[in-house]
Amino acid sequence: SNTKPHVGIIDLTGEIADGKASADDFVKGLDAAYKNTGLKALVVRINSPGGSPVQAEYMFNSLKYYRTKYPDVKTYSVCVDLCASAAYYVAVATDEI
């Protein structure tokens, strides 16, 4: 657990699908990031053509849950090269894109 103030980064790279850029892995990253008491902001770095709407919905809802539970931790999406379809849906769950 990191108690010093810091910014967390979660990468969402590739097609959003089970076994690729999966919601389960994404949520594990969220869980790990929010366990650190020094987390001041979270960046979701996205480079994805989109993919499964079911996986994206799970990611979206997880981001919304953590935003509600930790309102002082700001969330940002950074779209690198590609942020289409389901990937953009995940991005809109953050405070800013």
Side-chain angles (χ1 to χ4, degrees), residues 9-26:
I9 298 176
I10 296 178
D11 286 318
L12 178 56
T13 304
E15 180 185 355
I16 297 172
D18 191 31
K20 296 182 182 182
S22 74
D24 287 337
D25 290 341
F26 184 82

Side-chain angles (χ1 to χ4, degrees), residues 16-95:
I16 297 172
D18 191 31
K20 296 182 182 182
S22 74
D24 287 337
D25 290 341
F26 184 82
V27 172
K28 285 178 189 173
L30 284 175
D31 291 339
Y34 280 96
K35 281 183 183 176
N36 293 294
T37 57
L39 185 68
K40 298 299 179 197
L42 179 72
V43 173
V44 180
R45 187 169 40 196
I46 302 172
N47 188 5
S48 172
S52 167
V54 174
Q55 295 278 320
E57 178 76 11
Y58 182 27
M59 294 176 190
F60 178 92
N61 288 333
S62 297
L63 280 165
K64 289 292 207 178
Y65 166 79
Y66 279 109
R67 282 184 58 206
T68 301
K69 188 172 180 178
Y70 300 97
D72 293 335
V73 176
K74 297 301 174 193
T75 58
Y76 304 91
S77 291
V78 176
C79 300
V80 181
D81 288 325
L82 189 57
C83 186
S85 189
Y88 192 76
Y89 183 61
V90 174
V92 300
T94 61
D95 292 308

